[in-house]
Amino acid sequence: MGREELAELYRGYIGCLNAQDWANLGRFVGEAVQYNGKTVGLSGYRRMLEGDFQAIPDLRFSIELLVCEPPRVAARLHFDCTPKGRLFGLPVNGKRVSFAENVFYEFRDAHICEVWSVIDKAEIAAQL
């Protein structure tokens, strides 16, 4: 898979997340996916994402930066949202916050097999 194909696949994945199209998540994410070094599997990954949308009803993933070097993708995602309660241990409680996530993915057989994510918690805390 080349860079452009991988970029399109990743954009499709982000579209799947934003549409909360959980039935099609397996088109993009492998059955044995790992998240920050822990095997969570497709079902655990889906539960994590569903929980994110429950906690943040207006959650939307926006790609700010995308670098593809097959089989890896690096992205900076931007969020501007209103979490209902606590977010990453911080008492947001309905306040609108803006923050970024730096995230790296490894693909195998056109599916995400590993995810490494770092959220800018300091940026959220500074807005509270």
PDB file of all heavy atoms in Angstrom, residues 45-61:
ATOM      1  N   TYR A  45     -11.501  -1.869  21.650  1.00  0.00           N
ATOM      2  CA  TYR A  45     -11.256  -0.591  20.991  1.00  0.00           C
ATOM      3  C   TYR A  45     -12.589   0.109  20.714  1.00  0.00           C
ATOM      4  O   TYR A  45     -12.751   1.297  20.961  1.00  0.00           O
ATOM      5  CB  TYR A  45     -10.480  -0.838  19.699  1.00  0.00           C
ATOM      6  CG  TYR A  45      -9.822   0.365  19.094  1.00  0.00           C
ATOM      7  CD1 TYR A  45      -8.696   0.935  19.667  1.00  0.00           C
ATOM      8  CD2 TYR A  45     -10.309   0.927  17.920  1.00  0.00           C
ATOM      9  CE1 TYR A  45      -8.075   2.034  19.095  1.00  0.00           C
ATOM     10  CE2 TYR A  45      -9.696   2.024  17.340  1.00  0.00           C
ATOM     11  CZ  TYR A  45      -8.590   2.567  17.931  1.00  0.00           C
ATOM     12  OH  TYR A  45      -7.970   3.653  17.364  1.00  0.00           O
ATOM     13  N   ARG A  46     -13.554  -0.672  20.245  1.00  0.00           N
ATOM     14  CA  ARG A  46     -14.884  -0.117  19.977  1.00  0.00           C
ATOM     15  C   ARG A  46     -15.522   0.398  21.270  1.00  0.00           C
ATOM     16  O   ARG A  46     -16.083   1.490  21.299  1.00  0.00           O
ATOM     17  CB  ARG A  46     -15.772  -1.185  19.327  1.00  0.00           C
ATOM     18  CG  ARG A  46     -17.190  -0.712  19.098  1.00  0.00           C
ATOM     19  CD  ARG A  46     -18.038  -1.751  18.414  1.00  0.00           C
ATOM     20  NE  ARG A  46     -19.429  -1.341  18.394  1.00  0.00           N
ATOM     21  CZ  ARG A  46     -20.343  -1.900  17.630  1.00  0.00           C
ATOM     22  NH1 ARG A  46     -20.035  -2.904  16.835  1.00  0.00           N
ATOM     23  NH2 ARG A  46     -21.593  -1.475  17.681  1.00  0.00           N
ATOM     24  N   ARG A  47     -15.445  -0.388  22.337  1.00  0.00           N
ATOM     25  CA  ARG A  47     -16.005   0.052  23.631  1.00  0.00           C
ATOM     26  C   ARG A  47     -15.358   1.353  24.090  1.00  0.00           C
ATOM     27  O   ARG A  47     -16.037   2.247  24.614  1.00  0.00           O
ATOM     28  CB  ARG A  47     -15.828  -1.031  24.693  1.00  0.00           C
ATOM     29  CG  ARG A  47     -16.873  -2.113  24.650  1.00  0.00           C
ATOM     30  CD  ARG A  47     -16.862  -3.006  25.890  1.00  0.00           C
ATOM     31  NE  ARG A  47     -15.559  -3.599  26.173  1.00  0.00           N
ATOM     32  CZ  ARG A  47     -15.102  -4.714  25.612  1.00  0.00           C
ATOM     33  NH1 ARG A  47     -15.834  -5.359  24.729  1.00  0.00           N
ATOM     34  NH2 ARG A  47     -13.909  -5.188  25.934  1.00  0.00           N
ATOM     35  N   MET A  48     -14.042   1.470  23.911  1.00  0.00           N
ATOM     36  CA  MET A  48     -13.334   2.690  24.292  1.00  0.00           C
ATOM     37  C   MET A  48     -13.891   3.893  23.516  1.00  0.00           C
ATOM     38  O   MET A  48     -14.189   4.934  24.095  1.00  0.00           O
ATOM     39  CB  MET A  48     -11.837   2.533  24.036  1.00  0.00           C
ATOM     40  CG  MET A  48     -11.019   3.771  24.329  1.00  0.00           C
ATOM     41  SD  MET A  48      -9.283   3.604  23.857  1.00  0.00           S
ATOM     42  CE  MET A  48      -9.404   3.586  22.058  1.00  0.00           C
ATOM     43  N   LEU A  49     -14.043   3.719  22.217  1.00  0.00           N
ATOM     44  CA  LEU A  49     -14.551   4.814  21.376  1.00  0.00           C
ATOM     45  C   LEU A  49     -16.004   5.143  21.710  1.00  0.00           C
ATOM     46  O   LEU A  49     -16.376   6.325  21.791  1.00  0.00           O
ATOM     47  CB  LEU A  49     -14.411   4.450  19.902  1.00  0.00           C
ATOM     48  CG  LEU A  49     -12.974   4.423  19.390  1.00  0.00           C
ATOM     49  CD1 LEU A  49     -12.897   3.712  18.048  1.00  0.00           C
ATOM     50  CD2 LEU A  49     -12.418   5.836  19.294  1.00  0.00           C
ATOM     51  N   GLU A  50     -16.821   4.139  21.915  1.00  0.00           N
ATOM     52  CA  GLU A  50     -18.217   4.379  22.293  1.00  0.00           C
ATOM     53  C   GLU A  50     -18.278   5.156  23.608  1.00  0.00           C
ATOM     54  O   GLU A  50     -19.088   6.082  23.764  1.00  0.00           O
ATOM     55  CB  GLU A  50     -18.974   3.064  22.417  1.00  0.00           C
ATOM     56  CG  GLU A  50     -19.266   2.408  21.092  1.00  0.00           C
ATOM     57  CD  GLU A  50     -19.890   1.027  21.223  1.00  0.00           C
ATOM     58  OE1 GLU A  50     -19.601   0.310  22.217  1.00  0.00           O
ATOM     59  OE2 GLU A  50     -20.647   0.671  20.327  1.00  0.00           O
ATOM     60  N   GLY A  51     -17.398   4.798  24.558  1.00  0.00           N
ATOM     61  CA  GLY A  51     -17.330   5.521  25.831  1.00  0.00           C
ATOM     62  C   GLY A  51     -16.911   6.964  25.638  1.00  0.00           C
ATOM     63  O   GLY A  51     -17.436   7.869  26.308  1.00  0.00           O
ATOM     64  N   ASP A  52     -15.984   7.197  24.708  1.00  0.00           N
ATOM     65  CA  ASP A  52     -15.561   8.570  24.416  1.00  0.00           C
ATOM     66  C   ASP A  52     -16.742   9.405  23.927  1.00  0.00           C
ATOM     67  O   ASP A  52     -16.938  10.547  24.357  1.00  0.00           O
ATOM     68  CB  ASP A  52     -14.451   8.588  23.358  1.00  0.00           C
ATOM     69  CG  ASP A  52     -13.139   8.019  23.864  1.00  0.00           C
ATOM     70  OD1 ASP A  52     -12.961   7.884  25.096  1.00  0.00           O
ATOM     71  OD2 ASP A  52     -12.290   7.696  23.008  1.00  0.00           O
ATOM     72  N   PHE A  53     -17.550   8.841  23.032  1.00  0.00           N
ATOM     73  CA  PHE A  53     -18.697   9.572  22.500  1.00  0.00           C
ATOM     74  C   PHE A  53     -19.801   9.744  23.535  1.00  0.00           C
ATOM     75  O   PHE A  53     -20.534  10.728  23.492  1.00  0.00           O
ATOM     76  CB  PHE A  53     -19.230   8.901  21.229  1.00  0.00           C
ATOM     77  CG  PHE A  53     -18.462   9.288  19.991  1.00  0.00           C
ATOM     78  CD1 PHE A  53     -17.402   8.518  19.549  1.00  0.00           C
ATOM     79  CD2 PHE A  53     -18.779  10.438  19.288  1.00  0.00           C
ATOM     80  CE1 PHE A  53     -16.680   8.867  18.411  1.00  0.00           C
ATOM     81  CE2 PHE A  53     -18.075  10.809  18.160  1.00  0.00           C
ATOM     82  CZ  PHE A  53     -17.017  10.025  17.714  1.00  0.00           C
ATOM     83  N   GLN A  54     -19.930   8.810  24.480  1.00  0.00           N
ATOM     84  CA  GLN A  54     -20.909   8.977  25.553  1.00  0.00           C
ATOM     85  C   GLN A  54     -20.495  10.110  26.472  1.00  0.00           C
ATOM     86  O   GLN A  54     -21.326  10.902  26.915  1.00  0.00           O
ATOM     87  CB  GLN A  54     -21.067   7.680  26.341  1.00  0.00           C
ATOM     88  CG  GLN A  54     -21.813   6.613  25.571  1.00  0.00           C
ATOM     89  CD  GLN A  54     -21.814   5.270  26.288  1.00  0.00           C
ATOM     90  OE1 GLN A  54     -21.235   5.113  27.364  1.00  0.00           O
ATOM     91  NE2 GLN A  54     -22.458   4.284  25.680  1.00  0.00           N
ATOM     92  N   ALA A  55     -19.199  10.191  26.760  1.00  0.00           N
ATOM     93  CA  ALA A  55     -18.684  11.240  27.647  1.00  0.00           C
ATOM     94  C   ALA A  55     -18.619  12.600  26.949  1.00  0.00           C
ATOM     95  O   ALA A  55     -18.678  13.645  27.604  1.00  0.00           O
ATOM     96  CB  ALA A  55     -17.294  10.860  28.157  1.00  0.00           C
ATOM     97  N   ILE A  56     -18.491  12.572  25.611  1.00  0.00           N
ATOM     98  CA  ILE A  56     -18.339  13.801  24.830  1.00  0.00           C
ATOM     99  C   ILE A  56     -19.304  13.710  23.640  1.00  0.00           C
ATOM    100  O   ILE A  56     -18.921  13.323  22.534  1.00  0.00           O
ATOM    101  CB  ILE A  56     -16.893  13.976  24.317  1.00  0.00           C
ATOM    102  CG1 ILE A  56     -15.881  13.756  25.439  1.00  0.00           C
ATOM    103  CG2 ILE A  56     -16.714  15.351  23.687  1.00  0.00           C
ATOM    104  CD1 ILE A  56     -14.449  13.604  24.965  1.00  0.00           C
ATOM    105  N   PRO A  57     -20.563  14.069  23.839  1.00  0.00           N
ATOM    106  CA  PRO A  57     -21.556  13.898  22.777  1.00  0.00           C
ATOM    107  C   PRO A  57     -21.237  14.635  21.473  1.00  0.00           C
ATOM    108  O   PRO A  57     -21.619  14.176  20.398  1.00  0.00           O
ATOM    109  CB  PRO A  57     -22.840  14.440  23.402  1.00  0.00           C
ATOM    110  CG  PRO A  57     -22.627  14.319  24.876  1.00  0.00           C
ATOM    111  CD  PRO A  57     -21.159  14.534  25.083  1.00  0.00           C
ATOM    112  N   ASP A  58     -20.538  15.751  21.552  1.00  0.00           N
ATOM    113  CA  ASP A  58     -20.212  16.511  20.337  1.00  0.00           C
ATOM    114  C   ASP A  58     -18.792  16.226  19.830  1.00  0.00           C
ATOM    115  O   ASP A  58     -18.210  17.012  19.083  1.00  0.00           O
ATOM    116  CB  ASP A  58     -20.417  18.012  20.552  1.00  0.00           C
ATOM    117  CG  ASP A  58     -19.516  18.600  21.624  1.00  0.00           C
ATOM    118  OD1 ASP A  58     -18.879  17.834  22.389  1.00  0.00           O
ATOM    119  OD2 ASP A  58     -19.449  19.848  21.720  1.00  0.00           O
ATOM    120  N   LEU A  59     -18.241  15.079  20.208  1.00  0.00           N
ATOM    121  CA  LEU A  59     -16.887  14.708  19.806  1.00  0.00           C
ATOM    122  C   LEU A  59     -16.777  14.627  18.285  1.00  0.00           C
ATOM    123  O   LEU A  59     -17.624  14.052  17.619  1.00  0.00           O
ATOM    124  CB  LEU A  59     -16.515  13.356  20.427  1.00  0.00           C
ATOM    125  CG  LEU A  59     -15.109  12.824  20.148  1.00  0.00           C
ATOM    126  CD1 LEU A  59     -14.044  13.767  20.683  1.00  0.00           C
ATOM    127  CD2 LEU A  59     -14.945  11.435  20.772  1.00  0.00           C
ATOM    128  N   ARG A  60     -15.730  15.223  17.748  1.00  0.00           N
ATOM    129  CA  ARG A  60     -15.436  15.167  16.313  1.00  0.00           C
ATOM    130  C   ARG A  60     -13.925  15.148  16.145  1.00  0.00           C
ATOM    131  O   ARG A  60     -13.224  15.992  16.696  1.00  0.00           O
ATOM    132  CB  ARG A  60     -16.031  16.357  15.587  1.00  0.00           C
ATOM    133  CG  ARG A  60     -15.704  16.346  14.112  1.00  0.00           C
ATOM    134  CD  ARG A  60     -16.787  17.001  13.287  1.00  0.00           C
ATOM    135  NE  ARG A  60     -16.453  16.952  11.887  1.00  0.00           N
ATOM    136  CZ  ARG A  60     -16.711  15.931  11.090  1.00  0.00           C
ATOM    137  NH1 ARG A  60     -17.327  14.877  11.549  1.00  0.00           N
ATOM    138  NH2 ARG A  60     -16.368  15.953   9.817  1.00  0.00           N
ATOM    139  N   PHE A  61     -13.432  14.187  15.384  1.00  0.00           N
ATOM    140  CA  PHE A  61     -12.006  14.037  15.099  1.00  0.00           C
ATOM    141  C   PHE A  61     -11.683  14.880  13.870  1.00  0.00           C
ATOM    142  O   PHE A  61     -12.256  14.659  12.801  1.00  0.00           O
ATOM    143  CB  PHE A  61     -11.666  12.575  14.808  1.00  0.00           C
ATOM    144  CG  PHE A  61     -11.801  11.658  15.987  1.00  0.00           C
ATOM    145  CD1 PHE A  61     -13.052  11.294  16.479  1.00  0.00           C
ATOM    146  CD2 PHE A  61     -10.670  11.145  16.609  1.00  0.00           C
ATOM    147  CE1 PHE A  61     -13.170  10.438  17.556  1.00  0.00           C
ATOM    148  CE2 PHE A  61     -10.789  10.291  17.693  1.00  0.00           C
ATOM    149  CZ  PHE A  61     -12.039   9.939  18.170  1.00  0.00           C
TER     150      PHE A  61
END
